[in-house]
Amino acid sequence: MNAPTFRFAPSPNGELHLGHACSALLNQRLAKESGGRMLLRIEDIDITRCTPEFEQGIYRDLEWLGVGWEQPVRRQSEHFDTYSEALEKLRKTGLIYPAFLSRGEIRAYITEQEYWPRDPDGAPLYPPLDRHASAAHRREKIASGVPFAWRLDMEKAIAAVGPLHWNELSSNETISAEPQLWGDVIIARSDIPTSYHLAVVVDDALQNVTHIVRGRDLFAATSVQRVLQTLLGLPAPAYHHHKLILGPDGRKLSKSEQSTGLRALRTAGKTPADIQRMLDL
Ligand code: GLU
């Protein structure tokens, strides 16, 4: 049996805010209560937006908050080979395909439709145009150097894995996954051999993570991650999606919003105990 293992997995593409503090502190508390482990993972696959300064800021803010973690920290940018192997495994299933439409082409396709569905994050589903392209056409396009992304044929994937569920600890419920809401999600890009979803499921399994504690904004993403876990033969962790911390305007916090950034709060004289109170933890 694995020891209960928790992780906080921020992306160093901005300053940590109260929402991150909530995730980190809740992970730490649940790990302690279960006598489990607490890991920190730096999700820096987007090498154009992640910076060493933001990464240092994560360590500094967490230490200030009193959150501790096991060494070594896993940095995703150091493991592209591992994600490439998982991608290759998915390619062999025949369930992913190279998708060539640019944003402009997607937009043009959608404006021609009377109605076009959007995913839980509000982005239009990927049009079904290159899902059934011939192998020769794909080879030709790739050889021509046009940028492309690997996408999952979600309909086929759902048929392959069958109905999926997860254990949601925040409400003590079994949740039925609804991956169809996402359509053909991106699994990897031509320049980065992974995506958020692929790297997360691979790492959670490699690090023996048993409990995923994160904000409610990632609740819907769990459906996609359950599909990938199943296709790759990885274990299913339990999930706890906590309430979102909203800004003064009632909207989700963003990394660019100064007033709820941990560094700004610290500079304004707040203490870690004040943060705990503000979060109502
Ligand atoms: N890296 C993601 C973020 O900062 C969180 C990933 C996760 O907890 O699964 O939003």
mmCIF file of all heavy atoms in Angstrom, residues 117-150:
data_model
loop_
_atom_site.group_PDB
_atom_site.id
_atom_site.type_symbol
_atom_site.label_atom_id
_atom_site.label_comp_id
_atom_site.label_asym_id
_atom_site.label_seq_id
_atom_site.Cartn_x
_atom_site.Cartn_y
_atom_site.Cartn_z
ATOM 1 N N PRO A 117 -20.797 23.911 -29.830
ATOM 2 C CA PRO A 117 -20.601 23.746 -28.387
ATOM 3 C C PRO A 117 -19.255 24.265 -27.896
ATOM 4 O O PRO A 117 -18.271 24.279 -28.649
ATOM 5 C CB PRO A 117 -20.694 22.225 -28.189
ATOM 6 C CG PRO A 117 -20.458 21.626 -29.521
ATOM 7 C CD PRO A 117 -20.819 22.629 -30.559
ATOM 8 N N ARG A 118 -19.238 24.671 -26.646
ATOM 9 C CA ARG A 118 -18.008 25.114 -25.989
ATOM 10 C C ARG A 118 -17.692 24.178 -24.837
ATOM 11 O O ARG A 118 -18.601 23.584 -24.256
ATOM 12 C CB ARG A 118 -18.178 26.547 -25.474
ATOM 13 C CG ARG A 118 -18.215 27.521 -26.625
ATOM 14 C CD ARG A 118 -18.367 28.969 -26.208
ATOM 15 N NE ARG A 118 -18.279 29.794 -27.412
ATOM 16 C CZ ARG A 118 -17.175 30.406 -27.836
ATOM 17 N NH1 ARG A 118 -16.074 30.340 -27.118
ATOM 18 N NH2 ARG A 118 -17.162 31.092 -28.967
ATOM 19 N N ASP A 119 -16.398 24.094 -24.504
ATOM 20 C CA ASP A 119 -15.996 23.197 -23.416
ATOM 21 C C ASP A 119 -16.224 23.886 -22.054
ATOM 22 O O ASP A 119 -16.584 25.065 -22.016
ATOM 23 C CB ASP A 119 -14.561 22.707 -23.632
ATOM 24 C CG ASP A 119 -13.514 23.786 -23.420
ATOM 25 O OD1 ASP A 119 -13.794 24.782 -22.724
ATOM 26 O OD2 ASP A 119 -12.388 23.623 -23.952
ATOM 27 N N PRO A 120 -16.026 23.180 -20.950
ATOM 28 C CA PRO A 120 -16.299 23.777 -19.635
ATOM 29 C C PRO A 120 -15.463 25.031 -19.343
ATOM 30 O O PRO A 120 -15.843 25.835 -18.502
ATOM 31 C CB PRO A 120 -15.963 22.644 -18.657
ATOM 32 C CG PRO A 120 -16.207 21.392 -19.446
ATOM 33 C CD PRO A 120 -15.764 21.724 -20.838
ATOM 34 N N ASP A 121 -14.355 25.223 -20.060
ATOM 35 C CA ASP A 121 -13.571 26.451 -19.888
ATOM 36 C C ASP A 121 -14.018 27.557 -20.838
ATOM 37 O O ASP A 121 -13.441 28.639 -20.859
ATOM 38 C CB ASP A 121 -12.075 26.179 -20.131
ATOM 39 C CG ASP A 121 -11.433 25.481 -18.938
ATOM 40 O OD1 ASP A 121 -12.057 25.441 -17.856
ATOM 41 O OD2 ASP A 121 -10.296 24.972 -19.101
ATOM 42 N N GLY A 122 -14.997 27.249 -21.683
ATOM 43 C CA GLY A 122 -15.533 28.268 -22.581
ATOM 44 C C GLY A 122 -14.914 28.291 -23.972
ATOM 45 O O GLY A 122 -15.264 29.132 -24.796
ATOM 46 N N ALA A 123 -13.991 27.380 -24.250
ATOM 47 C CA ALA A 123 -13.376 27.360 -25.592
ATOM 48 C C ALA A 123 -14.215 26.483 -26.517
ATOM 49 O O ALA A 123 -14.763 25.460 -26.082
ATOM 50 C CB ALA A 123 -11.959 26.808 -25.503
ATOM 51 N N PRO A 124 -14.329 26.881 -27.800
ATOM 52 C CA PRO A 124 -15.107 26.051 -28.726
ATOM 53 C C PRO A 124 -14.467 24.673 -28.893
ATOM 54 O O PRO A 124 -13.247 24.550 -28.898
ATOM 55 C CB PRO A 124 -15.048 26.825 -30.045
ATOM 56 C CG PRO A 124 -13.999 27.855 -29.882
ATOM 57 C CD PRO A 124 -13.748 28.069 -28.421
ATOM 58 N N LEU A 125 -15.294 23.648 -29.039
ATOM 59 C CA LEU A 125 -14.739 22.305 -29.280
ATOM 60 C C LEU A 125 -14.021 22.311 -30.635
ATOM 61 O O LEU A 125 -14.377 23.066 -31.529
ATOM 62 C CB LEU A 125 -15.846 21.239 -29.296
ATOM 63 C CG LEU A 125 -16.688 21.065 -28.035
ATOM 64 C CD1 LEU A 125 -17.344 19.685 -28.031
ATOM 65 C CD2 LEU A 125 -15.899 21.266 -26.759
ATOM 66 N N TYR A 126 -13.040 21.440 -30.757
ATOM 67 C CA TYR A 126 -12.261 21.397 -31.997
ATOM 68 C C TYR A 126 -13.124 20.802 -33.119
ATOM 69 O O TYR A 126 -13.722 19.731 -32.943
ATOM 70 C CB TYR A 126 -11.006 20.546 -31.773
ATOM 71 C CG TYR A 126 -10.040 20.645 -32.918
ATOM 72 C CD1 TYR A 126 -9.309 21.811 -33.119
ATOM 73 C CD2 TYR A 126 -9.868 19.590 -33.801
ATOM 74 C CE1 TYR A 126 -8.425 21.919 -34.176
ATOM 75 C CE2 TYR A 126 -8.978 19.682 -34.859
ATOM 76 C CZ TYR A 126 -8.261 20.856 -35.044
ATOM 77 O OH TYR A 126 -7.396 20.953 -36.089
ATOM 78 N N PRO A 127 -13.174 21.479 -34.258
ATOM 79 C CA PRO A 127 -13.997 20.964 -35.376
ATOM 80 C C PRO A 127 -13.523 19.575 -35.824
ATOM 81 O O PRO A 127 -12.333 19.267 -35.733
ATOM 82 C CB PRO A 127 -13.761 21.993 -36.482
ATOM 83 C CG PRO A 127 -13.288 23.219 -35.783
ATOM 84 C CD PRO A 127 -12.532 22.756 -34.571
ATOM 85 N N PRO A 128 -14.446 18.780 -36.339
ATOM 86 C CA PRO A 128 -14.097 17.380 -36.669
ATOM 87 C C PRO A 128 -13.399 17.239 -38.021
ATOM 88 O O PRO A 128 -13.522 16.214 -38.663
ATOM 89 C CB PRO A 128 -15.471 16.708 -36.697
ATOM 90 C CG PRO A 128 -16.411 17.783 -37.108
ATOM 91 C CD PRO A 128 -15.867 19.075 -36.592
ATOM 92 N N LEU A 129 -12.675 18.289 -38.462
ATOM 93 C CA LEU A 129 -12.179 18.276 -39.843
ATOM 94 C C LEU A 129 -11.019 17.335 -40.118
ATOM 95 O O LEU A 129 -10.983 16.672 -41.140
ATOM 96 C CB LEU A 129 -11.809 19.699 -40.286
ATOM 97 C CG LEU A 129 -13.003 20.662 -40.321
ATOM 98 C CD1 LEU A 129 -12.577 22.049 -40.760
ATOM 99 C CD2 LEU A 129 -14.096 20.117 -41.243
ATOM 100 N N ASP A 130 -10.018 17.283 -39.216
ATOM 101 C CA ASP A 130 -8.899 16.388 -39.556
ATOM 102 C C ASP A 130 -8.868 15.095 -38.741
ATOM 103 O O ASP A 130 -7.879 14.385 -38.732
ATOM 104 C CB ASP A 130 -7.535 17.087 -39.547
ATOM 105 C CG ASP A 130 -7.409 18.212 -38.568
ATOM 106 O OD1 ASP A 130 -8.119 18.166 -37.538
ATOM 107 O OD2 ASP A 130 -6.642 19.133 -38.811
ATOM 108 N N ARG A 131 -9.980 14.812 -38.091
ATOM 109 C CA ARG A 131 -10.078 13.570 -37.307
ATOM 110 C C ARG A 131 -9.955 12.334 -38.204
ATOM 111 O O ARG A 131 -9.418 11.318 -37.803
ATOM 112 C CB ARG A 131 -11.453 13.565 -36.630
ATOM 113 C CG ARG A 131 -11.566 12.675 -35.445
ATOM 114 C CD ARG A 131 -12.992 12.666 -34.921
ATOM 115 N NE ARG A 131 -13.334 13.824 -34.109
ATOM 116 C CZ ARG A 131 -14.594 14.157 -33.801
ATOM 117 N NH1 ARG A 131 -15.616 13.452 -34.273
ATOM 118 N NH2 ARG A 131 -14.817 15.195 -33.052
ATOM 119 N N HIS A 132 -10.476 12.440 -39.435
ATOM 120 C CA HIS A 132 -10.494 11.253 -40.306
ATOM 121 C C HIS A 132 -9.576 11.380 -41.517
ATOM 122 O O HIS A 132 -9.765 10.688 -42.513
ATOM 123 C CB HIS A 132 -11.927 10.975 -40.771
ATOM 124 C CG HIS A 132 -12.883 10.810 -39.627
ATOM 125 N ND1 HIS A 132 -12.803 9.769 -38.728
ATOM 126 C CD2 HIS A 132 -13.909 11.591 -39.199
ATOM 127 C CE1 HIS A 132 -13.744 9.909 -37.810
ATOM 128 N NE2 HIS A 132 -14.420 11.005 -38.061
ATOM 129 N N ALA A 133 -8.598 12.278 -41.447
ATOM 130 C CA ALA A 133 -7.691 12.464 -42.592
ATOM 131 C C ALA A 133 -6.906 11.174 -42.850
ATOM 132 O O ALA A 133 -6.687 10.372 -41.936
ATOM 133 C CB ALA A 133 -6.733 13.616 -42.304
ATOM 134 N N SER A 134 -6.472 11.008 -44.098
ATOM 135 C CA SER A 134 -5.714 9.783 -44.427
ATOM 136 C C SER A 134 -4.291 9.899 -43.872
ATOM 137 O O SER A 134 -3.778 10.999 -43.637
ATOM 138 C CB SER A 134 -5.650 9.611 -45.947
ATOM 139 O OG SER A 134 -4.823 10.620 -46.488
ATOM 140 N N ALA A 135 -3.671 8.742 -43.714
ATOM 141 C CA ALA A 135 -2.294 8.717 -43.192
ATOM 142 C C ALA A 135 -1.375 9.481 -44.142
ATOM 143 O O ALA A 135 -0.470 10.208 -43.693
ATOM 144 C CB ALA A 135 -1.841 7.268 -43.036
ATOM 145 N N ALA A 136 -1.615 9.367 -45.444
ATOM 146 C CA ALA A 136 -0.752 10.041 -46.423
ATOM 147 C C ALA A 136 -0.877 11.553 -46.279
ATOM 148 O O ALA A 136 0.119 12.283 -46.281
ATOM 149 C CB ALA A 136 -1.154 9.599 -47.830
ATOM 150 N N HIS A 137 -2.118 12.027 -46.121
ATOM 151 C CA HIS A 137 -2.353 13.472 -45.962
ATOM 152 C C HIS A 137 -1.639 13.988 -44.715
ATOM 153 O O HIS A 137 -0.996 15.039 -44.730
ATOM 154 C CB HIS A 137 -3.865 13.713 -45.865
ATOM 155 C CG HIS A 137 -4.234 15.136 -45.594
ATOM 156 N ND1 HIS A 137 -4.231 16.103 -46.582
ATOM 157 C CD2 HIS A 137 -4.576 15.769 -44.442
ATOM 158 C CE1 HIS A 137 -4.579 17.268 -46.050
ATOM 159 N NE2 HIS A 137 -4.797 17.099 -44.755
ATOM 160 N N ARG A 138 -1.735 13.232 -43.638
ATOM 161 C CA ARG A 138 -1.089 13.645 -42.382
ATOM 162 C C ARG A 138 0.424 13.718 -42.544
ATOM 163 O O ARG A 138 1.063 14.679 -42.101
ATOM 164 C CB ARG A 138 -1.446 12.660 -41.264
ATOM 165 C CG ARG A 138 -2.880 12.839 -40.809
ATOM 166 C CD ARG A 138 -3.295 11.805 -39.795
ATOM 167 N NE ARG A 138 -4.665 12.093 -39.388
ATOM 168 C CZ ARG A 138 -5.456 11.244 -38.757
ATOM 169 N NH1 ARG A 138 -5.004 10.037 -38.455
ATOM 170 N NH2 ARG A 138 -6.665 11.584 -38.413
ATOM 171 N N ARG A 139 0.963 12.703 -43.187
ATOM 172 C CA ARG A 139 2.430 12.667 -43.374
ATOM 173 C C ARG A 139 2.885 13.877 -44.172
ATOM 174 O O ARG A 139 3.856 14.538 -43.844
ATOM 175 C CB ARG A 139 2.807 11.382 -44.121
ATOM 176 C CG ARG A 139 3.251 10.250 -43.179
ATOM 177 C CD ARG A 139 4.044 9.182 -43.912
ATOM 178 N NE ARG A 139 3.361 8.689 -45.101
ATOM 179 C CZ ARG A 139 2.440 7.704 -45.087
ATOM 180 N NH1 ARG A 139 2.118 7.100 -43.949
ATOM 181 N NH2 ARG A 139 1.853 7.315 -46.195
ATOM 182 N N GLU A 140 2.122 14.173 -45.218
ATOM 183 C CA GLU A 140 2.456 15.288 -46.096
ATOM 184 C C GLU A 140 2.433 16.612 -45.333
ATOM 185 O O GLU A 140 3.339 17.423 -45.434
ATOM 186 C CB GLU A 140 1.381 15.323 -47.190
ATOM 187 C CG GLU A 140 1.831 15.783 -48.540
ATOM 188 C CD GLU A 140 0.653 15.651 -49.499
ATOM 189 O OE1 GLU A 140 0.388 14.506 -49.961
ATOM 190 O OE2 GLU A 140 -0.021 16.662 -49.715
ATOM 191 N N LYS A 141 1.370 16.795 -44.562
ATOM 192 C CA LYS A 141 1.223 18.048 -43.786
ATOM 193 C C LYS A 141 2.373 18.192 -42.788
ATOM 194 O O LYS A 141 2.974 19.256 -42.662
ATOM 195 C CB LYS A 141 -0.095 18.053 -42.999
ATOM 196 C CG LYS A 141 -1.329 18.293 -43.823
ATOM 197 C CD LYS A 141 -1.500 19.747 -44.127
ATOM 198 C CE LYS A 141 -2.615 20.393 -43.348
ATOM 199 N NZ LYS A 141 -3.004 21.691 -43.863
ATOM 200 N N ILE A 142 2.663 17.107 -42.070
ATOM 201 C CA ILE A 142 3.716 17.180 -41.052
ATOM 202 C C ILE A 142 5.051 17.490 -41.722
ATOM 203 O O ILE A 142 5.809 18.341 -41.262
ATOM 204 C CB ILE A 142 3.779 15.871 -40.223
ATOM 205 C CG1 ILE A 142 2.514 15.721 -39.388
ATOM 206 C CG2 ILE A 142 5.018 15.839 -39.329
ATOM 207 C CD1 ILE A 142 2.376 14.415 -38.622
ATOM 208 N N ALA A 143 5.305 16.822 -42.865
ATOM 209 C CA ALA A 143 6.571 17.037 -43.579
ATOM 210 C C ALA A 143 6.686 18.480 -44.074
ATOM 211 O O ALA A 143 7.781 19.024 -44.173
ATOM 212 C CB ALA A 143 6.677 16.055 -44.746
ATOM 213 N N SER A 144 5.539 19.104 -44.341
ATOM 214 C CA SER A 144 5.581 20.489 -44.855
ATOM 215 C C SER A 144 5.948 21.488 -43.756
ATOM 216 O O SER A 144 6.184 22.657 -44.013
ATOM 217 C CB SER A 144 4.228 20.867 -45.460
ATOM 218 O OG SER A 144 3.308 21.140 -44.418
ATOM 219 N N GLY A 145 5.968 21.024 -42.522
ATOM 220 C CA GLY A 145 6.426 21.895 -41.430
ATOM 221 C C GLY A 145 5.339 22.748 -40.795
ATOM 222 O O GLY A 145 5.655 23.590 -39.956
ATOM 223 N N VAL A 146 4.061 22.561 -41.180
ATOM 224 C CA VAL A 146 3.015 23.371 -40.527
ATOM 225 C C VAL A 146 2.891 22.933 -39.060
ATOM 226 O O VAL A 146 3.017 21.750 -38.746
ATOM 227 C CB VAL A 146 1.607 23.234 -41.171
ATOM 228 C CG1 VAL A 146 1.529 23.961 -42.492
ATOM 229 C CG2 VAL A 146 1.153 21.805 -41.269
ATOM 230 N N PRO A 147 2.680 23.901 -38.171
ATOM 231 C CA PRO A 147 2.544 23.525 -36.761
ATOM 232 C C PRO A 147 1.284 22.692 -36.550
ATOM 233 O O PRO A 147 0.277 22.902 -37.244
ATOM 234 C CB PRO A 147 2.413 24.870 -36.024
ATOM 235 C CG PRO A 147 2.222 25.917 -37.051
ATOM 236 C CD PRO A 147 2.492 25.341 -38.403
ATOM 237 N N PHE A 148 1.351 21.747 -35.647
ATOM 238 C CA PHE A 148 0.164 20.934 -35.362
ATOM 239 C C PHE A 148 0.176 20.525 -33.898
ATOM 240 O O PHE A 148 1.174 20.707 -33.200
ATOM 241 C CB PHE A 148 0.120 19.690 -36.266
ATOM 242 C CG PHE A 148 1.209 18.701 -35.967
ATOM 243 C CD1 PHE A 148 0.964 17.608 -35.143
ATOM 244 C CD2 PHE A 148 2.485 18.870 -36.489
ATOM 245 C CE1 PHE A 148 1.974 16.691 -34.845
ATOM 246 C CE2 PHE A 148 3.494 17.965 -36.195
ATOM 247 C CZ PHE A 148 3.244 16.873 -35.381
ATOM 248 N N ALA A 149 -0.965 20.027 -33.451
ATOM 249 C CA ALA A 149 -1.055 19.512 -32.081
ATOM 250 C C ALA A 149 -1.593 18.093 -32.169
ATOM 251 O O ALA A 149 -2.318 17.750 -33.111
ATOM 252 C CB ALA A 149 -2.012 20.379 -31.273
ATOM 253 N N TRP A 150 -1.213 17.261 -31.199
ATOM 254 C CA TRP A 150 -1.821 15.932 -31.107
ATOM 255 C C TRP A 150 -3.097 16.087 -30.300
ATOM 256 O O TRP A 150 -3.085 16.639 -29.203
ATOM 257 C CB TRP A 150 -0.885 14.947 -30.407
ATOM 258 C CG TRP A 150 0.288 14.583 -31.255
ATOM 259 C CD1 TRP A 150 1.551 15.072 -31.148
ATOM 260 C CD2 TRP A 150 0.298 13.661 -32.348
ATOM 261 N NE1 TRP A 150 2.358 14.515 -32.120
ATOM 262 C CE2 TRP A 150 1.617 13.646 -32.869
ATOM 263 C CE3 TRP A 150 -0.672 12.850 -32.956
ATOM 264 C CZ2 TRP A 150 1.979 12.849 -33.958
ATOM 265 C CZ3 TRP A 150 -0.301 12.056 -34.033
ATOM 266 C CH2 TRP A 150 1.004 12.059 -34.530
#
